[in-house]
Amino acid sequence: MSVVVDGLEGLRVPEELSARVPAEQRGPGRGRDDVRLLVSRGEAVSHHAFRELPALLRAGDVLVVNTSPTLAAAVDGRLGPEPGGEPVVVHFSTRGDDGRWAVELRSPEPSGSTRPRAGGPAGAVVRLPGGGRLALAGPLTPGSGRLWWARAYGDVPGLLGRYGRPIRYGYTERDQPLSAYQTVFARPSPDGGGSAEMPSAGRPFTAGLVAELAARGVWIAPLSLHTGVASAEAHEPPYPERFEVPAATAALVNAARATGGRVIAVGTTVVRALESAAVAGSAGAGASARAGRGWTDLVVTPARGVRVVDGLLTGLHEPEASHLLMLEAVAGRAALRSAYAAAVRGRYLWHEFGDVHLLLPEEEGHRARCGSNSG
């Protein structure tokens, strides 16, 4: 799937705008919430500190958050028979219902990050620490060799707990502890599952900020979607992922919509889960959220649109990323074009440790309130 957003085809994000370390490591006295917040209302853009978020929302709004914990999903291995073999880094992506795992094999770099490599071959065995084994079966999707199904011999959650580390890409400066990749909303899964990569839109939130939101009458509603390994270089659409929307969250979303509140998804993962469980109403009745769980292969595009999400808090995505189709579905092409041009001009930071972008519905009263910060 190619991403076509007019005005972004030629956008270049300078390499120095990659966030290389977490916000709290960029200076003394800094915290997770010391990031910038770009706000879009239609084509109007305003610039804020993330700590201003409570003042930008209204009593009765609902922030829907992803509670999936981040796994230490990267493990060193050796591909091929003993002794020796090719050194690889295994990224554990998604556990299937049959017990197999979707995995990505990458080649280690001297810096500690990794680079892409061809998947497979079928039938090969990856030797893992502690005596574990991984037998490669075949590509997850015919014609795409990045992710492969593999049969793991041994306890994978235990393996990740003992030998794993968070997935890291080349734009980051160094390895970080797993705690740096957990959001304040993360909750352990009963089956040991979680996300291969952090649901990063929730990272800047702190307990204090959540308390301030609650004091202002903003509701926080949980769901879970276990994210798979992103296609950092290929920019493929997301693969099927496991999700759960609780009945209480669906009820809160529907109540907010009925009383004029806005439903703001914290992250593209939340949009995917909510929209996967949404049900279209009768003519003129709109749509409603509902409880649901299972697997979703939904790809939200402008043609499909969104049914229950009014706004989105998300990171800044590469111009070729498939996520931009979802952003366009939520806010429109013109808003996205204006925001990303402003983000580059304003030297915002990209990726999971970077700044964040709040896309809100265009409203006359709120546009006037923020007009003095436009840029």
Side-chain angles (χ1 to χ4, degrees), residues 283-299:
S288 60
R290 64 178 177 183
R293 63 186 304 176
W295 291 87
T296 177
D297 59 1
L298 176 66
V299 178

Side-chain angles (χ1 to χ4, degrees), residues 100-112:
R100 295 186 302 171
W101 281 80
V103 300
E104 179 186 29
L105 300 188
R106 294 176 68 92
S107 297
E109 292 275 29
S111 65

Side-chain angles (χ1 to χ4, degrees), residues 131-187:
R133 294 286 190 274
L134 197 66
L136 302 177
L140 185 65
T141 301
S144 174
R146 186 176 69 87
L147 289 176
W148 279 58
W149 283 118
R151 178 71 64 182
Y153 297 92
D155 172 27
V156 172
L159 173 80
L160 300 184
R162 289 191 297 273
Y163 303 106
R165 61 187 180 275
I167 289 174
R168 173 192 164 199
Y169 293 112
Y171 50 77
T172 56
E173 185 175 290
R174 57 182 177 269
D175 285 345
Q176 297 287 341
L178 184 59
S179 59
Y181 290 87
Q182 301 293 7
T183 74
V184 70
F185 305 114
R187 296 293 180 269

Side-chain angles (χ1 to χ4, degrees), residues 32 66 182-187 202-208 210:
R32 282 181 172 234
N66 189 355
Q182 301 293 7
T183 74
V184 70
F185 305 114
R187 296 293 180 269
R203 190 183 193 280
F205 286 85
T206 63
V210 171

Side-chain angles (χ1 to χ4, degrees), residues 21-230:
V21 296
E24 59 271 26
Q25 297 178 18
R26 293 201 281 266
R30 294 177 63 93
R32 282 181 172 234
D33 52 358
D34 280 303
V35 297
R36 299 170 68 192
L37 175 64
L38 180 72
V39 179
S40 296
R41 293 182 179 87
E43 293 184 67
V45 175
S46 56
H47 304 275
H48 305 265
F50 184 74
R51 291 192 180 107
E52 297 176 61
L53 178 64
L56 296 166
L57 301 178
R58 305 194 301 243
D61 287 343
V62 177
L63 286 177
V64 187
V65 302
N66 189 355
T67 62
S68 177
T70 308
L71 301 175
V75 178
D76 293 325
R78 289 271 178 177
L79 180 66
E82 300 183 71
E86 176 192 353
V88 294
V89 177
V90 181
H91 287 176
F92 284 84
S93 179
T94 307
R95 180 166 51 190
D97 290 336
D98 61 357
R100 295 186 302 171
W101 281 80
V103 300
E104 179 186 29
L105 300 188
R106 294 176 68 92
S107 297
E109 292 275 29
S111 65
S113 63
T114 61
R115 65 180 185 275
R117 72 176 292 283
V125 173
V126 179
R127 289 175 280 122
L128 301 171
R133 294 286 190 274
L134 197 66
L136 302 177
L140 185 65
T141 301
S144 174
R146 186 176 69 87
L147 289 176
W148 279 58
W149 283 118
R151 178 71 64 182
Y153 297 92
D155 172 27
V156 172
L159 173 80
L160 300 184
R162 289 191 297 273
Y163 303 106
R165 61 187 180 275
I167 289 174
R168 173 192 164 199
Y169 293 112
Y171 50 77
T172 56
E173 185 175 290
R174 57 182 177 269
D175 285 345
Q176 297 287 341
L178 184 59
S179 59
Y181 290 87
Q182 301 293 7
T183 74
V184 70
F185 305 114
R187 296 293 180 269
S189 296
D191 64 355
S195 289
E197 297 184 0
M198 173 177 55
S200 56
R203 190 183 193 280
F205 286 85
T206 63
L209 188 68
V210 171
E212 185 179 349
L213 287 163
R216 288 177 175 265
V218 176
W219 295 91
I220 307 291
L223 56 73
S224 67
L225 184 140
H226 296 326
T227 66
V229 174

